[in-house]
mmCIF file of all heavy atoms in Angstrom:
data_model
loop_
_atom_site.group_PDB
_atom_site.id
_atom_site.type_symbol
_atom_site.label_atom_id
_atom_site.label_comp_id
_atom_site.label_asym_id
_atom_site.label_seq_id
_atom_site.Cartn_x
_atom_site.Cartn_y
_atom_site.Cartn_z
ATOM 1 N N THR A 66 -3.972 6.664 0.835
ATOM 2 C CA THR A 66 -2.808 5.870 1.242
ATOM 3 C C THR A 66 -1.798 6.770 1.948
ATOM 4 O O THR A 66 -1.758 7.994 1.691
ATOM 5 C CB THR A 66 -2.128 5.224 -0.006
ATOM 6 O OG1 THR A 66 -1.786 6.252 -0.946
ATOM 7 C CG2 THR A 66 -3.046 4.217 -0.697
ATOM 8 N N TYR A 67 -1.079 6.175 2.833
ATOM 9 C CA TYR A 67 -0.045 6.928 3.628
ATOM 10 C C TYR A 67 1.203 6.080 3.611
ATOM 11 O O TYR A 67 1.147 4.789 3.695
ATOM 12 C CB TYR A 67 -0.636 7.148 5.066
ATOM 13 C CG TYR A 67 -1.853 7.927 5.101
ATOM 14 C CD1 TYR A 67 -3.110 7.261 4.982
ATOM 15 C CD2 TYR A 67 -1.848 9.312 5.121
ATOM 16 C CE1 TYR A 67 -4.249 7.974 4.965
ATOM 17 C CE2 TYR A 67 -3.106 10.059 5.123
ATOM 18 C CZ TYR A 67 -4.282 9.365 5.056
ATOM 19 O OH TYR A 67 -5.420 10.066 5.004
ATOM 20 N N TYR A 68 2.354 6.785 3.651
ATOM 21 C CA TYR A 68 3.604 6.087 3.610
ATOM 22 C C TYR A 68 4.607 6.731 4.596
ATOM 23 O O TYR A 68 4.588 7.910 4.806
ATOM 24 C CB TYR A 68 4.233 6.194 2.171
ATOM 25 C CG TYR A 68 3.420 5.499 1.124
ATOM 26 C CD1 TYR A 68 2.445 6.179 0.432
ATOM 27 C CD2 TYR A 68 3.533 4.163 0.919
ATOM 28 C CE1 TYR A 68 1.666 5.565 -0.506
ATOM 29 C CE2 TYR A 68 2.798 3.458 -0.065
ATOM 30 C CZ TYR A 68 1.843 4.217 -0.755
ATOM 31 O OH TYR A 68 1.067 3.592 -1.712
ATOM 32 N N ALA A 69 5.538 5.903 5.116
ATOM 33 C CA ALA A 69 6.661 6.409 5.829
ATOM 34 C C ALA A 69 7.552 7.181 4.815
ATOM 35 O O ALA A 69 7.649 6.756 3.657
ATOM 36 C CB ALA A 69 7.402 5.297 6.436
ATOM 37 N N ASP A 70 8.182 8.156 5.296
ATOM 38 C CA ASP A 70 9.073 8.980 4.435
ATOM 39 C C ASP A 70 10.124 8.123 3.761
ATOM 40 O O ASP A 70 10.589 8.350 2.624
ATOM 41 C CB ASP A 70 9.710 10.099 5.230
ATOM 42 C CG ASP A 70 8.745 11.216 5.601
ATOM 43 O OD1 ASP A 70 7.700 11.277 4.933
ATOM 44 O OD2 ASP A 70 9.098 12.005 6.483
ATOM 45 N N SER A 71 10.599 7.076 4.456
ATOM 46 C CA SER A 71 11.682 6.263 3.996
ATOM 47 C C SER A 71 11.306 5.410 2.782
ATOM 48 O O SER A 71 12.210 4.896 2.072
ATOM 49 C CB SER A 71 12.204 5.309 5.137
ATOM 50 O OG SER A 71 11.175 4.528 5.615
ATOM 51 N N VAL A 72 10.053 5.250 2.534
ATOM 52 C CA VAL A 72 9.612 4.373 1.399
ATOM 53 C C VAL A 72 8.791 5.093 0.395
ATOM 54 O O VAL A 72 8.419 4.608 -0.662
ATOM 55 C CB VAL A 72 8.811 3.174 1.883
ATOM 56 C CG1 VAL A 72 9.566 2.377 3.010
ATOM 57 C CG2 VAL A 72 7.421 3.553 2.409
ATOM 58 N N LYS A 73 8.451 6.370 0.697
ATOM 59 C CA LYS A 73 7.608 7.137 -0.223
ATOM 60 C C LYS A 73 8.257 7.227 -1.549
ATOM 61 O O LYS A 73 9.444 7.524 -1.744
ATOM 62 C CB LYS A 73 7.414 8.529 0.382
ATOM 63 C CG LYS A 73 6.172 9.284 -0.081
ATOM 64 C CD LYS A 73 5.965 10.536 0.738
ATOM 65 C CE LYS A 73 5.604 10.252 2.213
ATOM 66 N NZ LYS A 73 5.321 11.425 2.974
ATOM 67 N N GLY A 74 7.479 6.994 -2.607
ATOM 68 C CA GLY A 74 7.956 7.041 -4.001
ATOM 69 C C GLY A 74 8.513 5.712 -4.472
ATOM 70 O O GLY A 74 8.721 5.517 -5.704
ATOM 71 N N ARG A 75 8.720 4.746 -3.551
ATOM 72 C CA ARG A 75 9.264 3.439 -3.928
ATOM 73 C C ARG A 75 8.299 2.306 -3.701
ATOM 74 O O ARG A 75 8.320 1.333 -4.418
ATOM 75 C CB ARG A 75 10.548 3.162 -3.127
ATOM 76 C CG ARG A 75 11.640 4.187 -3.419
ATOM 77 C CD ARG A 75 12.949 3.771 -2.707
ATOM 78 N NE ARG A 75 12.860 3.686 -1.271
ATOM 79 C CZ ARG A 75 13.089 2.535 -0.540
ATOM 80 N NH1 ARG A 75 13.433 1.465 -1.177
ATOM 81 N NH2 ARG A 75 12.936 2.565 0.727
ATOM 82 N N PHE A 76 7.500 2.465 -2.630
ATOM 83 C CA PHE A 76 6.489 1.388 -2.277
ATOM 84 C C PHE A 76 5.127 1.845 -2.611
ATOM 85 O O PHE A 76 4.812 3.076 -2.563
ATOM 86 C CB PHE A 76 6.592 1.142 -0.777
ATOM 87 C CG PHE A 76 7.840 0.416 -0.305
ATOM 88 C CD1 PHE A 76 8.970 0.314 -1.117
ATOM 89 C CD2 PHE A 76 7.905 -0.110 0.976
ATOM 90 C CE1 PHE A 76 10.080 -0.368 -0.685
ATOM 91 C CE2 PHE A 76 9.076 -0.792 1.435
ATOM 92 C CZ PHE A 76 10.134 -0.870 0.659
ATOM 93 N N THR A 77 4.280 0.942 -2.935
ATOM 94 C CA THR A 77 2.848 1.232 -3.202
ATOM 95 C C THR A 77 1.952 0.206 -2.544
ATOM 96 O O THR A 77 2.145 -0.997 -2.740
ATOM 97 C CB THR A 77 2.580 1.174 -4.699
ATOM 98 O OG1 THR A 77 3.445 2.127 -5.440
ATOM 99 C CG2 THR A 77 1.107 1.556 -4.978
ATOM 100 N N ILE A 78 1.057 0.667 -1.717
ATOM 101 C CA ILE A 78 0.102 -0.246 -1.040
ATOM 102 C C ILE A 78 -1.214 -0.215 -1.845
ATOM 103 O O ILE A 78 -1.603 0.861 -2.327
ATOM 104 C CB ILE A 78 -0.146 0.210 0.424
ATOM 105 C CG1 ILE A 78 -0.973 -0.814 1.179
ATOM 106 C CG2 ILE A 78 -0.732 1.638 0.557
ATOM 107 C CD1 ILE A 78 -1.053 -0.541 2.652
ATOM 108 N N SER A 79 -1.862 -1.345 -1.927
ATOM 109 C CA SER A 79 -3.146 -1.466 -2.614
ATOM 110 C C SER A 79 -3.969 -2.555 -1.875
ATOM 111 O O SER A 79 -3.458 -3.306 -1.142
ATOM 112 C CB SER A 79 -2.939 -1.735 -4.086
ATOM 113 O OG SER A 79 -2.268 -3.002 -4.218
ATOM 114 N N ARG A 80 -5.244 -2.548 -2.260
ATOM 115 C CA ARG A 80 -6.151 -3.546 -1.646
ATOM 116 C C ARG A 80 -7.198 -3.917 -2.630
ATOM 117 O O ARG A 80 -7.612 -3.139 -3.550
ATOM 118 C CB ARG A 80 -6.827 -3.029 -0.383
ATOM 119 C CG ARG A 80 -7.794 -1.909 -0.558
ATOM 120 C CD ARG A 80 -8.242 -1.353 0.809
ATOM 121 N NE ARG A 80 -8.955 -2.337 1.611
ATOM 122 C CZ ARG A 80 -9.135 -2.216 2.952
ATOM 123 N NH1 ARG A 80 -8.605 -1.193 3.634
ATOM 124 N NH2 ARG A 80 -9.810 -3.179 3.599
ATOM 125 N N ASP A 81 -7.697 -5.164 -2.475
ATOM 126 C CA ASP A 81 -8.806 -5.701 -3.240
ATOM 127 C C ASP A 81 -9.869 -6.180 -2.294
ATOM 128 O O ASP A 81 -9.696 -7.299 -1.718
ATOM 129 C CB ASP A 81 -8.312 -6.817 -4.171
ATOM 130 C CG ASP A 81 -9.346 -7.310 -5.096
ATOM 131 O OD1 ASP A 81 -10.573 -7.190 -4.826
ATOM 132 O OD2 ASP A 81 -9.010 -7.866 -6.180
ATOM 133 N N ASN A 82 -10.898 -5.404 -2.051
ATOM 134 C CA ASN A 82 -11.905 -5.791 -1.099
ATOM 135 C C ASN A 82 -12.749 -6.955 -1.476
ATOM 136 O O ASN A 82 -13.294 -7.713 -0.701
ATOM 137 C CB ASN A 82 -12.810 -4.542 -0.812
ATOM 138 C CG ASN A 82 -12.149 -3.541 -0.023
ATOM 139 O OD1 ASN A 82 -11.139 -3.799 0.703
ATOM 140 N ND2 ASN A 82 -12.679 -2.303 0.024
ATOM 141 N N ALA A 83 -12.819 -7.240 -2.772
ATOM 142 C CA ALA A 83 -13.539 -8.433 -3.241
ATOM 143 C C ALA A 83 -12.778 -9.714 -2.943
ATOM 144 O O ALA A 83 -13.385 -10.735 -2.736
ATOM 145 C CB ALA A 83 -13.742 -8.346 -4.730
ATOM 146 N N LYS A 84 -11.477 -9.614 -2.853
ATOM 147 C CA LYS A 84 -10.625 -10.781 -2.572
ATOM 148 C C LYS A 84 -10.057 -10.801 -1.128
ATOM 149 O O LYS A 84 -9.322 -11.734 -0.763
ATOM 150 C CB LYS A 84 -9.495 -10.884 -3.541
ATOM 151 C CG LYS A 84 -9.905 -11.072 -5.013
ATOM 152 C CD LYS A 84 -8.748 -11.186 -5.910
ATOM 153 C CE LYS A 84 -9.204 -11.421 -7.325
ATOM 154 N NZ LYS A 84 -8.032 -11.553 -8.268
ATOM 155 N N ASN A 85 -10.411 -9.763 -0.334
ATOM 156 C CA ASN A 85 -9.883 -9.679 1.030
ATOM 157 C C ASN A 85 -8.383 -9.699 1.076
ATOM 158 O O ASN A 85 -7.751 -10.401 1.881
ATOM 159 C CB ASN A 85 -10.397 -10.775 1.963
ATOM 160 C CG ASN A 85 -11.852 -10.503 2.424
ATOM 161 O OD1 ASN A 85 -12.518 -9.627 1.915
ATOM 162 N ND2 ASN A 85 -12.251 -11.203 3.412
ATOM 163 N N THR A 86 -7.727 -8.958 0.221
ATOM 164 C CA THR A 86 -6.277 -8.939 0.161
ATOM 165 C C THR A 86 -5.784 -7.480 0.140
ATOM 166 O O THR A 86 -6.379 -6.582 -0.355
ATOM 167 C CB THR A 86 -5.713 -9.660 -1.107
ATOM 168 O OG1 THR A 86 -6.246 -9.030 -2.264
ATOM 169 C CG2 THR A 86 -6.061 -11.095 -1.098
ATOM 170 N N VAL A 87 -4.575 -7.358 0.715
ATOM 171 C CA VAL A 87 -3.870 -6.047 0.608
ATOM 172 C C VAL A 87 -2.434 -6.379 0.217
ATOM 173 O O VAL A 87 -1.853 -7.435 0.663
ATOM 174 C CB VAL A 87 -3.868 -5.314 1.993
ATOM 175 C CG1 VAL A 87 -3.273 -6.162 3.117
ATOM 176 C CG2 VAL A 87 -3.216 -3.983 1.889
ATOM 177 N N SER A 88 -1.848 -5.574 -0.588
ATOM 178 C CA SER A 88 -0.518 -5.837 -1.184
ATOM 179 C C SER A 88 0.417 -4.661 -0.940
ATOM 180 O O SER A 88 -0.013 -3.481 -0.750
ATOM 181 C CB SER A 88 -0.703 -6.143 -2.671
ATOM 182 O OG SER A 88 -1.453 -7.280 -2.917
ATOM 183 N N LEU A 89 1.725 -4.950 -1.032
ATOM 184 C CA LEU A 89 2.711 -3.911 -0.950
ATOM 185 C C LEU A 89 3.712 -4.182 -2.090
ATOM 186 O O LEU A 89 4.433 -5.164 -2.050
ATOM 187 C CB LEU A 89 3.367 -3.964 0.405
ATOM 188 C CG LEU A 89 4.412 -2.843 0.683
ATOM 189 C CD1 LEU A 89 3.696 -1.497 0.799
ATOM 190 C CD2 LEU A 89 5.234 -3.132 1.925
#
């Protein structure tokens, strides 16, 4: 995962390939 400095430590990206979804 990669983050902009402005959101690092506060935002988390994840994905579920079985459900074809990505979340923030």
